[in-house]
Amino acid sequence: MSPADSMCRSSTPRSWSFPVPGYRESMHRAKPSSPRPEQLSPTTYPRPKRSCRSSTHRSWSFPHPGRHGEAACGGLDTWELVKGTPYYNVASAQSMWRNCGNHANCWCGASGGGSGTHGMGCFKCAKGRFLHSRYGKAFGGFASEEIVVVVGDLCPHLGNQKWCPEKAGQRNDYGSLNHLDFSHPPAGIHNNDFVFTPISCPDDLRARYDQLSQCGR
């Protein structure tokens, strides 16, 4: 587990959890029983130990069909990465990457984070749900079903100072330590807060990433 993982803290009530068959509910969490293999699907994962809260923003600067080689994760086409799948591509804040000074030197960057910021570098995945709250104003409960996101690009601090912190431990203008940019969020979602937990990326998404990205080549 990276330092960023251990530093991640939930800013949501315990009731904002992700039930999985085979786990027992308790305020004093009992040791969970492992779900049987047949209970797990590609988008069903064991209950996380922690969850993180993030601001989000709909970005129009992501690569679109016909625009290639721009994403920080090996120049992949982020549209092609998730096209025809149930997954959502995101650009994570610069503070969530390791040793990232600007867009140019974050090529294929690893996860960073720390001091309350969760690390989400190239091809890191998470599951989560949008909240009704926006812009740091807490109200309501969940605004979406659970989705899976994958980091395919960077949200650099320069030019995005309002949303994307530069260094781990810094908060954006809305008080969030974490931030994710969505190019195509679910219907009805517009800059809603997002509560998420890290997961291993699904195999079908990894195969597509390996085909499209220059990272590791």
Side-chain angles (χ1 to χ4, degrees):
M1 178 178 291
S2 69
D5 291 332
S6 62
M7 290 299 294
C8 187
R9 294 292 184 269
S10 172
S11 57
T12 62
R14 188 187 181 283
S15 60
W16 292 1
S17 58
F18 307 97
V20 175
Y23 283 76
R24 291 173 290 177
E25 293 289 342
S26 172
M27 289 302 293
H28 305 285
R29 184 176 299 173
K31 183 177 180 181
S33 58
S34 299
R36 297 187 301 274
E38 62 270 20
Q39 292 178 304
L40 296 176
S41 67
T43 56
T44 302
Y45 305 90
R47 177 187 299 280
K49 294 181 180 180
R50 298 179 177 87
S51 60
C52 306
R53 188 165 180 164
S54 172
S55 59
T56 72
H57 179 240
R58 182 164 187 170
S59 171
W60 301 100
S61 60
F62 279 63
H64 292 279
R67 295 173 61 195
H68 304 278
E70 299 181 10
C73 294
L76 58 77
D77 184 329
T78 56
W79 176 271
E80 291 293 333
L81 177 63
V82 296
K83 185 175 71 173
T85 74
Y87 313 123
Y88 291 82
N89 174 77
V90 296
S92 54
Q94 180 175 322
S95 57
M96 302 169 79
W97 294 48
R98 183 183 303 167
N99 301 326
C100 184
N102 54 50
H103 193 287
N105 65 14
C106 291
W107 185 260
C108 299
S111 296
S115 300
T117 300
H118 185 73
M120 287 281 284
C122 276
F123 198 60
K124 294 301 180 182
C125 292
K127 67 172 184 175
R129 296 175 73 176
F130 287 96
L131 307 174
H132 283 293
S133 60
R134 298 185 178 98
Y135 308 113
K137 298 178 181 179
F139 59 89
F142 290 125
S144 76
E145 296 299 320
E146 185 176 282
I147 65 171
V148 171
V149 300
V150 56
V151 176
D153 203 359
L154 167 78
C155 179
H157 177 68
L158 184 62
N160 301 284
Q161 292 90 333
K162 180 185 294 186
W163 293 104
C164 299
E166 180 181 10
K167 298 178 181 179
Q170 294 179 343
R171 296 178 184 271
N172 64 17
D173 284 6
Y174 303 105
S176 181
L177 290 163
N178 305 296
H179 179 78
L180 302 173
D181 265 4
F182 285 74
S183 55
H184 299 86
I189 297 300
H190 182 71
N191 299 353
N192 295 60
D193 292 336
F194 186 68
V195 60
F196 69 92
T197 54
I199 60 170
S200 297
C201 290
D203 291 341
D204 57 340
L205 189 56
R206 174 165 291 280
R208 189 174 292 199
Y209 179 87
D210 290 342
Q211 179 183 9
L212 295 172
S213 174
Q214 297 179 39
C215 294
R217 296 183 183 178

